[in-house]
Amino acid sequence: MSEWAILGAGALGCVFAGLLRQQGHPVSLLLSERHRGHLHPSLELITLGGHHELIHTRPLFAEQASQLSHLLVTTKAYQVVGALQGLRGLPASCPIILLHNGMGVTDAVRTLFPDNPILVGVTSHGAMKESEWLIRHTGKGETWIGPANDAAHDFQHLCHPLTTAFGHAQWSEDIHALQRQKLAVNAVINPLTARYGVHNGDLLEPRFFEVLEQLTEEVHQVMLRLGETETLELFKRRLHRVMELTATNYSSMHQDLAHGRPTEIDYITGYILGQASRHQLPAPVCQQLYQEIVKRSSDKGRY
């Protein structure tokens, strides 16, 4: 079996490392400089059934990029370009699969690696870090990948090992449409839950009805300009279903803000605002949420 290298040892990356190892795939974790010289312990994965399993991976650093044959990038959106810039020895034959929230990163990656197959994906798996190397798989979901450049069209076969490990991984020639659909959901749930400090399901309470309606309509109007055909009513149903299915979860933006980490606001709400401006659409709720999340992130950074 070919080795899978995972760039981004956060919750999702570690869960995917665990799922791949459970199926016998060799897995390496590309670690940041802060891990150099430290013991690289086994991951402890808490499965969906509540079992604790030790997951053994191979530690790698940027200068070892020439060894990679498959690269799965699970960093935050704002980390993708910086993390990849250090991998100058990456073989041109190595496919790069980008799995991150938001949009606005892919063009920069194509510029950095013009000869590599670039794939993008969306996933609805849930993951949470309980401590540095203790990871909980909180939800099983779908994973879709598709081509972001011409060279990527020959890599549909990667869905097979990912399906075996993840339970579902399917190819889509129109992966950007799936990215937009996930972006639309994230652009509603993430900033609201981060702003008000609530679980995803709490947004269904009557106190959030007005702001939820306004934000949903703003995001939907932008999506229509980007080529989506989903009606507002269908978008609301899809959105509510996600909130119901993830009712007890905290969004990634909520967790980042709560723990004083940078958020992906620029690649989610910021992307929506950029498109709204381009198409001359009003988006006052998006704008207010963006400003408040940015301010709170800045305030936390002062302490």
Side-chain angles (χ1 to χ4, degrees):
M1 289 184 175
S2 298
E3 183 177 59
W4 285 85
I6 296 179
L7 177 59
L12 186 63
C14 288
V15 163
F16 282 172
L19 295 176
L20 286 163
R21 286 295 296 128
Q22 286 175 338
Q23 296 301 317
H25 294 277
V27 175
S28 60
L29 282 182
L30 274 162
L31 300 175
S32 61
E33 285 301 309
R34 70 185 180 90
H35 292 106
R36 194 184 292 274
H38 295 154
L39 173 68
H40 174 59
S42 300
L43 298 173
E44 186 173 355
L45 176 67
I46 306 173
T47 68
L48 290 173
H51 303 293
H52 289 243
E53 296 184 14
L54 288 179
I55 305 296
H56 304 285
T57 62
R58 184 167 72 109
L60 289 178
F61 293 91
E63 67 270 15
Q64 296 168 291
S66 62
Q67 301 178 24
L68 306 186
S69 59
H70 300 81
L71 180 59
L72 190 60
V73 183
T74 59
T75 64
K76 297 288 188 178
Y78 57 82
Q79 297 172 318
V80 170
V81 173
L84 286 172
Q85 281 175 332
L87 306 184
R88 290 301 183 180
L90 190 71
S93 60
C94 178
I96 302 170
I97 305 174
L98 304 176
L99 278 173
H100 58 78
N101 286 327
M103 295 181 69
V105 176
T106 308
D107 286 346
V109 176
R110 281 194 292 249
T111 300
L112 273 177
F113 297 97
D115 300 320
N116 287 74
I118 309 295
L119 298 88
V120 295
V122 296
T123 187
S124 54
H125 278 269
M128 183 174 68
K129 247 190 176 182
E130 300 209 342
S131 62
E132 182 69 9
W133 298 108
L134 176 61
I135 314 298
R136 182 182 293 275
H137 190 190
T138 60
K140 187 175 182 179
E142 295 183 349
T143 301
W144 295 80
I145 61 173
N149 64 2
D150 289 341
H153 287 279
D154 295 329
F155 286 83
Q156 295 188 34
H157 63 276
L158 294 182
C159 288
H160 177 68
L162 294 180
T163 292
T164 303
F166 300 168
H168 174 280
Q170 195 164 331
W171 184 264
S172 172
E173 284 291 333
D174 194 10
I175 190 65
H176 298 297
L178 295 175
Q179 278 189 303
R180 289 194 300 267
Q181 289 171 11
K182 183 178 182 182
L183 172 71
V185 169
N186 284 344
V188 175
I189 293 176
N190 282 29
L192 281 178
T193 55
R195 163 63 179 82
Y196 292 102
V198 297
H199 293 93
N200 292 357
D202 294 336
L203 296 179
L204 295 170
E205 296 176 2
R207 61 186 169 128
F208 292 111
F209 177 80
E210 186 174 346
V211 67
L212 184 62
E213 283 285 302
Q214 292 176 359
L215 182 58
T216 300
E217 290 179 10
E218 287 182 12
V219 171
H220 181 255
Q221 285 299 311
V222 171
M223 290 297 110
L224 291 179
R225 297 303 192 280
L226 296 181
E228 291 302 309
T229 58
E230 187 177 44
T231 66
L232 178 59
E233 187 58 37
L234 286 176
F235 177 44
K236 286 181 180 180
R237 288 183 196 172
R238 184 163 63 89
L239 186 60
H240 283 217
R241 178 167 172 76
V242 172
M243 289 188 283
E244 289 169 353
L245 290 173
T246 63
T248 60
N249 292 0
Y250 284 119
S251 72
S252 58
M253 190 176 294
H254 173 285
Q255 288 293 279
D256 287 338
L257 193 62
H259 291 92
R261 299 188 294 256
T263 73
E264 294 175 297
I265 191 73
D266 285 327
Y267 299 91
I268 298 176
T269 306
Y271 186 87
I272 294 292
L273 286 172
Q275 295 300 318
S277 175
R278 177 185 170 194
H279 295 283
Q280 298 182 324
L281 294 171
V285 178
C286 277
Q287 186 66 52
Q288 182 178 352
L289 285 168
Y290 177 85
Q291 291 171 345
E292 291 189 19
I293 299 299
V294 168
K295 183 178 186 304
R296 289 189 179 203
S297 298
S298 300
D299 289 345
K300 283 182 178 290
R302 296 192 187 118
Y303 298 101

